[in-house]
Amino acid sequence: MSEKETVAVNILDKEYLVASPEEEKGGLEQSARYLDEKMREIRANGRVFGTERIAVMAALNITHELLQRSDMPASAEATLQEIDRRVSEALENSHKETG
C-alpha cells in the first residue's frame, strides 16, 4: 500500500486539500480540473447560484456522462464511490474551516 500525501486542488478559486496515494495524484489533479471546468460552465450559465448547488449539479452532470458510456469498466462504480467520498470529505472540511 502506498503512502498518502496531501494534494492541493483548486475548484472555483478555492483550495481544497485532499489525501491521495502518490500514484493517483495526477488523476486527482486531472479530475479536479475537469470538475472546476464543469462548475464554471454551470456558474456561467447563470441559472444555479451558490457553490454547493453548483457542485451538486456538476456531480449530477458528470455522473450522467459516465453512466451513458457503454464502455465503462466494471470497476467504475467503486471509482465513483471513492470520488464521491473524497468530494464529500473535502466539502466537509471546507465547511469546518469556514464555519
Side-chain angles (χ1 to χ4, degrees), residues 5-48:
E5 64 178 84
T6 301
V7 179
V9 296
N10 287 291
I11 300 170
L12 284 186
D13 303 320
K14 183 165 178 143
E15 183 176 83
Y16 296 91
L17 300 176
V18 183
S20 175
E22 187 176 328
E23 68 272 8
E24 294 181 19
K25 180 181 174 184
L28 176 62
E29 291 170 336
Q30 183 180 9
S31 296
R33 284 190 300 273
Y34 186 74
L35 177 58
D36 181 63
E37 177 184 312
K38 291 298 183 183
M39 289 179 68
R40 287 179 187 281
E41 288 173 9
I42 291 166
R43 184 175 67 181
N45 200 347
R47 291 188 293 224
V48 180

Side-chain angles (χ1 to χ4, degrees), residues 51-67:
T51 304
E52 241 178 81
R53 288 178 175 260
I54 292 170
V56 169
M57 292 306 298
L60 285 171
N61 290 340
I62 291 167
T63 302
H64 179 75
E65 289 172 14
L66 289 172
L67 292 175

